[in-house]
């Protein structure tokens, strides 16, 4: 969901020149680009960014679900899937050459107004990439037959089931149908209806491709280690012979606002009532779009917003509330969401919302509120200046929707020019009336029915006044094709050379109290990231109340001796700083992401949070309520439910890792936590003799040491020693076991199979990682190719390894359609047995992962955050400072025999612990017939039911 100012947020990033990054105002921000059009009408946008030897390729087709005719809902997205099925000159999975080339950030997405395909590749793989993208653009239909259509139809239908199987997973479909009239292009959700997906034919495929996938309907953005001259030569070479295609009609803006409030209700298998309220507002190009985005931030954009302060802090009516704008080309949706505390009358929540809304519509935002929102947006913008693929998306989006790659500048200018009065005027115009309110309540526990497809239900009736779609203006010159010299019969161009990795040399220092500091300098943008890494984590809960570590870290920024939670947040906003804290399995961390120019005052605020947490009873009670609601929600979400249940089963009672891997603990433990528990944990673990400070960004060692010393150098440790965590060794079970959790009415079953594997610190960690990649950790891995591509029983299937200092979990997973649950379990088990028996990994499978890992390295460390994450892993797992720089040689040195041995060491088919979450009325009998081992039905807390 894209906001008008989304390029200012963390969800969208792009690179920019250093001068612009240091500028205080938005007017100086610039993304240099050149634009040209091929003779066939294809638009190309090029932006040079030579900080890493990679190029982002972003291909945007100006067609989306808004262009689907009646009876063809979901087809734009289904067609997107077909584009990955191969092409006439590459009749194989689209991903294969990219896995071998080390591509990163690769995917495709469909939305109301566009379909895009993107990847970031080493500079030397650009020819291969453009060949592949042009082959599917110009030579697709001969590769798509009934089998390919049926395969991807099944995959998409399981994607739909998977989404709807989540808590509140059907809400978006209901909201879209009631927000927009039946004759509006946005009336139906992009995923489509099961009925329409079933009806999709090869004739539809041909018609869609020929109508919408012509070159003149495409924008390609190339960003990274490339020049305009190279881009022009290569784009003409690979894309010049593709026909322009017919002129395509453009849908016209139509907000279709309501004049009266409407209400609706639905039930879902959720833990608490949610109120969703929506207003239709103008599309992303409208002058009011930015003003409404600012209004949404003031009303419900975070902890310091009006509704959060009123409903969460003051009235204690909800666990969470937010307001945001989902921006599209024809119209947008301003949407409020509030999670009502259990036991609270939703009417009271609505009354409080109405009161705050009324005050806002009377007086608008204050100057301070508006400036804090602007400052926060600017800071997010600067943080978003690193990844080339995100920059490519911004340029392509501006070109596709507004015929201007620099359209972001207009929005930035509108943001800077906004006043309290202009924001108020936009709010009065668009969100003073005409809301649609949907209240979602928990379904009855005895309701086992499978919900009907939301797409088949009536919504808002058709409305007169829909503007007619318009054909674009005639081009100045008729589109022509350019003969190509490429012999496509020779196949995909080989990628023979690859660029070297660039990774900063680590520098080390100490504070005057002995705290170690590790720095990686990165000067691409004026941002400094600081992470205080404590040896604690979920494992430190052993012998304490489960969830203590995570809960305590979450409480650090909820108040200090002198500042309350809201004042901490306001000061951070004014500084453009992000302060956070949390825990993982083996460590806890406090983090600061600061503008380099504001590092000193940001560190002062950060140190106060880390060193002087107040743990006031009122704050503990507020966070406890939210935490308990989170646990309840976890128990309604299949993956979270499984991750709560499986670790205690594979590690055994009493083990430090025998905890919910969500880190949230249990209702009983969280309910009993008090300030004394939190202070005791902080005394034991959050201390200067148990921390390393990791820094990455725009600073030097001397400068950052001085600033850190000023706020942490006088920190003294407690007299008591740091407790030692006890991470015991676990033996594999002697036979497999099957645990079933009931989710009545579920349209999918979640399958997890787990076993303990060697630590991340194991000498053969790379071999284990390579084995996992080939077996289930990549798109073309065995598990995914079986259950998704061959059987199309799942949207995705695979295996994963969670990092751990002790033995880590190795998990195989698959969310599958309910009627194929037992068959899917049997397939996973067969694949596991063959992996360690009759069909070990081949040289080709192993080499694919090795070369992909090596060749992706230049693209892995584009951002300061990715560099900091690498340093964190070095510290946690005792890796040398040159670990990243020497990784290539160690990956290449792996032998097939060592990787095959890793498979035999890790994957133990006869010792698997299976957890299946689904509708037991429909799946239990067939699962028992598999005779996997002892079968138990357990509840959401892991207790035996039968």
């Amino acid at each position: 969901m894209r906001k008008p100012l989304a390029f200012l947020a963390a969800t969208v990033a792009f690179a920019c020149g250093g001068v612009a990054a240091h500028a205080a105002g938005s007017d100086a921000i610039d993304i240099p680009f050149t634009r040209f059009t091929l003779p066939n009408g294809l638009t190309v946008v090029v932006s040079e960014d030579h900080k890493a030897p990679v190029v982002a390729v972003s291909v945007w087709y100006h067609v989306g679900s808004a262009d689907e005719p009646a009876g063809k809902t979901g087809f734009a997205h289904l067609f997107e899937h077909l584009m990955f099925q191969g092409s006439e000159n590459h009749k194989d999975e689209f991903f294969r050459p990219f896995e071998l080339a080390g591509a990163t950030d690769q995917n495709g997405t469909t939305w109301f107004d566009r379909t895009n395909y993107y990847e970031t590749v080493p500079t030397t793989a650009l020819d291969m990439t453009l060949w592949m993208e042009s082959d599917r653009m110009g030579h697709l239909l001969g590769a798509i037959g009934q089998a390919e259509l049926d395969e991807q139809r099944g995959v998409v239908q399981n994607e739909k089931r998977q989404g709807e199987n989540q808590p509140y997973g059907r809400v978006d479909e209901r909201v879209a149908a009631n927000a927009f009239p039946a004759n509006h292009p946005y009336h139906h959700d992009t995923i489509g209806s099961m009925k329409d997906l079933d009806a999709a034919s090869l004739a539809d495929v041909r018609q869609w491709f020929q109508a919408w996938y012509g070159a003149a309907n495409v924008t390609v953005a190339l960003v990274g280690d490339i020049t305009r001259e190279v881009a022009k030569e290569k784009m003409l070479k690979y894309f010049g012979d593709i026909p322009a295609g017919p002129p395509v009609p453009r849908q016209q803006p139509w907000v279709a606002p309501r004049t009266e409030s409407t209400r609706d209700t639905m039930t879902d298998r959720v833990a608490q009532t949610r109120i969703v309220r929506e207003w239709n507002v103008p599309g992303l190009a409208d002058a009011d779009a930015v003003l409404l985005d600012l209004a949404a931030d003031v009303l419900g954009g975070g902890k310091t917003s009006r509704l959060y302060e009123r409903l969460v802090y003051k009235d204690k009516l909800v666990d969470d509330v937010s307001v945001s704008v989902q921006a599209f080309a024809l119209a947008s949706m301003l949407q409020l969401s509030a999670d009502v505390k259990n036991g609270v009358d939703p009417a009271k929540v609505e009354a409080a919302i109405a009161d705050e809304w009324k005050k806002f519509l009377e007086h608008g935002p204050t100057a301070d509120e508006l400036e804090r929102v602007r400052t926060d947006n600017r800071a997010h913008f600067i943080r978003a200046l690193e990844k080339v693929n995100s920059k490519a998306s911004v340029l392509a989006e501006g070109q596709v929707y507004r015929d201007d790659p620099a359209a972001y500048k207009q929005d930035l200018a509108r943001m800077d020019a906004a006043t309290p009065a202009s924001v108020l005027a936009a709010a009065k115009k668009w969100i003073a009336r005409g809301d649609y309110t949907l209240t979602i309540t928990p379904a009855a526990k005895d309701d086992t029915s499978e919900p009907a497809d939301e797409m088949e239900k009536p919504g808002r009736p058709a409305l007169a006044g829909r503007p007619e779609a318009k054909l674009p203006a005639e081009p100045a010159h008729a589109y022509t094709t350019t003969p190509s010299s490429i012999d496509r019969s020779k196949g995909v161009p080989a990628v023979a050379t690859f660029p070297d990795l660039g990774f900063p040399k680590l520098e080390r220092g100490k504070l005057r109290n002995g705290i170690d500091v590790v720095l990686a300098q990165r000067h691409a943008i004026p941002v400094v990231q600081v992470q205080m890494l404590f040896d604690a984590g979920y494992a430190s809960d052993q012998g304490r109340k489960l969830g203590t570590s995570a809960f305590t870290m979450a409480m650090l920024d909820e108040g200090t001796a002198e500042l309350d939670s809201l004042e901490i947040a306001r000061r951070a906003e004014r500084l453009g700083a992000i302060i956070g804290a949390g825990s993982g399995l083996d460590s806890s961390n406090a983090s600061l992401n600061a503008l380099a120019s504001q590092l000193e005052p940001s560190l002062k605020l950060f140190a106060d949070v880390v060193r002087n947490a107040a743990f006031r009873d009122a704050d503990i009670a507020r966070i406890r309520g939210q935490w308990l609601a989170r646990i309840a929600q976890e128990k309604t979400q299949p993956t979270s439910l499984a991750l709560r249940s499986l670790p205690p089963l594979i590690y055994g009672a009493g083990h430090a890792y025998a905890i919910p891997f969500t880190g949230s603990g249990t209702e009983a433990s969280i309910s009993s936590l008090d300030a004394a528990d939190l202070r005791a944990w902080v005394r034991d673990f959050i201390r200067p003799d148990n921390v390393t400070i990791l820094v990455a960004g725009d600073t030097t060692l001397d400068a950052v040491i001085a600033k850190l010393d000023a706020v942490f150098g006088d920190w003294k440790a407690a007299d008591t020693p740091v407790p030692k965590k006890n991470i015991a060794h676990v033996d594999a079970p002697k036979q497999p076991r099957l645990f079933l959790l009931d989710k009545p009415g579920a349209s999918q079953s979640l399958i997890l199979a787990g076993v303990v594997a060697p630590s991340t610190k194991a000498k053969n960690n790379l071999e284990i990682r390579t084995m996992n990649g080939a077996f289930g950790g990549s798109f073309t891995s065995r598990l995914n190719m079986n259950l998704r591509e061959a059987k199309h029983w799942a949207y995705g299937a695979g295996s994963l390894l969670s990092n751990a200092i002790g033995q880590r979990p190795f998990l195989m997973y698959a969310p599958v359609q309910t009627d194929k649950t037992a068959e899917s379990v049997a397939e996973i088990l067969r694949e596991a047995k063959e992996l360690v028996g009759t069909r070990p990994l081949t040289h080709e499978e192993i080499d694919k992962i090795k070369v992909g890992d090596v060749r992706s390295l230049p693209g892995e460390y584009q951002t300061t955050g990715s560099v900091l994450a690498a340093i964190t892993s070095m510290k946690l797992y005792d890796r040398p400072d040159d670990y990243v720089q020497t990784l290539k040689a160690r990956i290449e040195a792996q032998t097939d025999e060592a990787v095959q041995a890793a498979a035999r060491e890790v994957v133990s088919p006869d010792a698997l612990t299976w957890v299946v979450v689904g509708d037991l009325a429909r799946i239990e009998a067939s699962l028992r017939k598999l005779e996997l081992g002892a079968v138990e039905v357990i509840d959401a807390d892991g207790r035996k039911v039968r």
Side-chain angles (χ1 to χ4, degrees), residues 717-740:
D719 295 332
T720 56
V722 177
K724 298 295 183 184
K725 294 181 289 185
N726 179 24
I727 304 175
H729 179 82
V730 176
D731 292 325
K734 299 186 183 304
Q735 57 188 12
R737 302 168 296 167
L738 172 61
F739 296 89
L740 306 177

Side-chain angles (χ1 to χ4, degrees), residues 140-453:
L140 179 76
L141 292 181
I144 304 299
Q146 192 64 46
E148 288 77 17
L149 175 58
D150 290 342
E151 174 187 321
Q152 290 308 310
R153 187 200 328 269
V155 171
V156 168
Q157 288 179 327
N158 273 301
E159 181 179 358
K160 178 178 169 70
R161 292 186 185 102
Q162 186 170 319
E164 293 175 353
N165 202 37
Q166 309 307 309
Y168 311 103
R170 297 178 293 118
V171 168
D172 286 348
E173 295 174 354
R174 177 75 68 89
V175 171
N178 288 275
F180 298 104
N183 56 333
H184 195 285
Y186 294 169
H187 178 75
H188 65 273
D189 192 77
T190 300
I191 196 67
S193 75
M194 286 292 191
K195 178 182 175 182
D196 287 353
L197 290 169
D198 280 334
S201 69
L202 283 176
D204 295 328
V205 172
R206 180 173 296 276
Q207 188 278 331
W208 191 264
F209 180 73
Q210 293 174 341
W212 297 103
Y213 273 64
N217 198 37
V218 180
T219 292
V220 177
L222 302 172
V223 178
D225 189 22
I226 190 172
T227 65
R228 179 188 187 278
E229 293 72 26
V230 170
K232 195 163 189 177
E233 180 267 325
K234 291 186 183 297
M235 288 300 297
L236 188 63
K237 174 182 177 181
Y238 290 106
F239 292 85
D241 65 336
I242 299 173
V248 293
R250 297 284 179 237
Q251 306 282 358
Q252 298 302 300
W254 187 26
V255 180
R258 292 171 296 268
T259 56
E260 296 180 353
S261 297
T262 57
R263 303 187 66 85
D264 196 3
T265 61
M266 71 184 300
T267 60
D268 196 2
R269 293 178 180 86
V270 295
Q272 63 189 128
T273 296
R274 174 173 290 178
I275 298 169
V276 173
R277 183 166 291 167
E278 186 273 343
W279 290 260
N280 291 8
V281 297
L284 51 79
D286 192 279
D288 281 346
V290 170
L291 301 175
L292 290 166
D293 195 76
L294 294 169
D297 284 342
V298 172
L299 282 164
K303 186 183 288 187
T304 63
S305 67
R306 293 194 182 183
L307 288 173
Y308 199 96
E309 186 170 351
R310 170 71 181 272
L311 273 67
V312 176
Y313 279 89
K314 182 180 176 183
D315 293 356
K316 301 177 177 60
L317 296 174
V318 305
D319 291 310
D320 193 22
V321 61
S322 64
V323 182
S324 62
V325 176
Q326 300 173 31
F328 313 113
L330 311 183
S332 300
M333 304 165 74
L334 188 144
Q335 190 163 299
L336 175 150
S337 177
D339 290 339
V340 181
K341 278 185 174 294
N342 283 325
V344 170
D345 184 355
K348 290 186 177 180
V349 176
E350 292 202 40
I353 292 171
D355 185 45
E356 289 300 321
W357 216 263
K358 179 182 177 182
K359 291 176 183 176
F360 186 84
L361 291 173
E362 287 176 351
H363 306 291
T366 66
D368 178 64
E369 286 175 321
L370 189 55
E371 190 53 39
R372 278 192 282 114
V373 167
R374 266 198 292 251
T375 301
D376 192 52
N377 282 341
R378 290 191 195 105
H380 279 292
F381 179 88
I382 291 173
R383 292 185 178 94
L385 303 180
E386 291 188 277
K387 295 195 78 172
V388 291
N389 71 310
S390 301
K391 176 183 176 182
S393 292
V394 169
L395 294 173
E397 182 176 288
Q399 174 61 35
V400 169
Y401 294 156
R402 298 159 75 173
D403 198 30
D404 181 9
Y408 68 91
K409 288 188 175 183
Q410 186 177 45
D411 289 332
L412 288 168
R414 287 169 174 170
M415 181 187 76
D416 285 346
T419 64
S422 66
V423 172
L424 175 59
K428 283 183 173 180
K429 181 177 179 181
W430 294 106
I431 59 173
R433 66 195 63 80
D435 59 282
Y436 163 71
T437 300
L438 174 65
T439 303
I440 307 100
T441 57
K445 291 185 177 180
D446 59 354
D447 181 2
T448 61
S449 60
E450 184 173 349
D453 192 340

Side-chain angles (χ1 to χ4, degrees), residues 888-902:
K888 176 178 182 289
R890 284 180 286 109
I891 291 173
E892 292 174 338
Q894 298 174 88
T895 65
D896 292 353
E897 292 76 14
V899 175
Q900 292 162 350

